[in-house]
């Protein structure tokens, strides 16, 4: 394997064993490479990380990790996915594709409130879109 090239004979066997273990773990988890969430884990713990990652994905009904959650460790992955799902629900409820500039930077606990206030203001003023001069205020 490429990762073992240039190693001395004394380390070559351990490297090949580790490589084969990684390949087996990836195959068992239907992955082509080590996901960012498990990068840096040694081969002894990699199986545990991949298992935790898979459990988190299954429990949250996710097959693909949202962009905003990619690269986070498994210890932060579930909270990020829950936040992402909440944001998507709030956007859907407000018929939006993305967070409007008026609510950008709001944490997920307050985002619903911001979107609701925004919608109320639009309805009270008889507009469906925010005038250009008011965007981002």
């Amino acid at each position: 394997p490429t990762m073992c090239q240039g190693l001395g004979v004394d380390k070559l066997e351990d490297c090949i064993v580790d490589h084969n273990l990684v390949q087996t773990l990836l195959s068992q988890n239907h992955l082509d490479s080590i996901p960012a969430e498990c990068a840096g884990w040694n081969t002894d713990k990699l199986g545990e990380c991949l298992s935790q990652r898979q459990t988190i994905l299954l429990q949250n009904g996710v097959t693909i990790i949202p962009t905003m959650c990619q690269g986070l460790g498994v210890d932060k992955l579930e909270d990020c996915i829950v936040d992402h799902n909440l944001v998507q629900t709030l956007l859907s409820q407000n018929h939006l594709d993305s967070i409007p500039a008026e609510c950008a930077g709001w944490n997920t606990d307050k985002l619903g409130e911001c979107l609701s206030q925004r919608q109320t203001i639009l309805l009270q003023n008889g507009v469906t879109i925010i005038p250009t001069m008011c965007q981002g205020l």
Side-chain angles (χ1 to χ4, degrees):
T2 306
M3 66 183 262
C4 300
Q5 291 177 356
L7 292 178
V9 177
D10 58 327
K11 295 181 181 180
L12 186 58
E13 184 175 3
D14 288 342
C15 183
I16 291 172
V17 168
D18 284 351
H19 175 267
N20 290 340
L21 174 60
V22 168
Q23 294 307 309
T24 300
L25 291 170
L26 293 176
S27 176
Q28 289 171 345
N29 286 277
H30 311 288
L31 297 168
D32 296 327
S33 61
I34 297 172
E37 301 80 34
C38 298
W41 288 58
N42 65 34
T43 52
D44 296 339
K45 299 287 184 175
L46 181 59
E48 179 183 331
C49 180
L50 293 173
S51 177
Q52 287 176 5
R53 178 184 181 273
Q54 187 63 28
T55 298
I56 291 167
L57 295 179
L58 289 173
Q59 287 176 340
N60 289 282
V62 175
T63 55
I64 298 173
I65 295 178
T67 303
M68 67 183 260
C69 302
Q70 291 177 359
L72 294 178
V74 287
D75 58 327
K76 296 178 182 174
L77 185 59
E78 186 163 22
D79 288 342
C80 185
I81 290 172
V82 169
D83 283 352
H84 176 268
N85 290 343
L86 175 59
V87 168
Q88 295 308 307
T89 299
L90 291 170
L91 292 175
S92 177
Q93 290 171 344
N94 287 277
H95 310 289
L96 296 168
D97 296 325
S98 61
I99 298 173
E102 302 80 35
C103 299
W106 288 59
N107 66 33
T108 51
D109 296 337
K110 299 288 185 179
L111 182 60
E113 182 182 324
C114 179
L115 293 173
S116 178
Q117 288 176 355
R118 178 184 182 273
Q119 188 64 25
T120 300
I121 292 168
L122 291 176
L123 291 172
Q124 287 174 344
N125 290 284
V127 296
T128 56
I129 59 168
I130 296 182
T132 305
M133 65 182 266
C134 302
Q135 291 178 2
L137 295 177

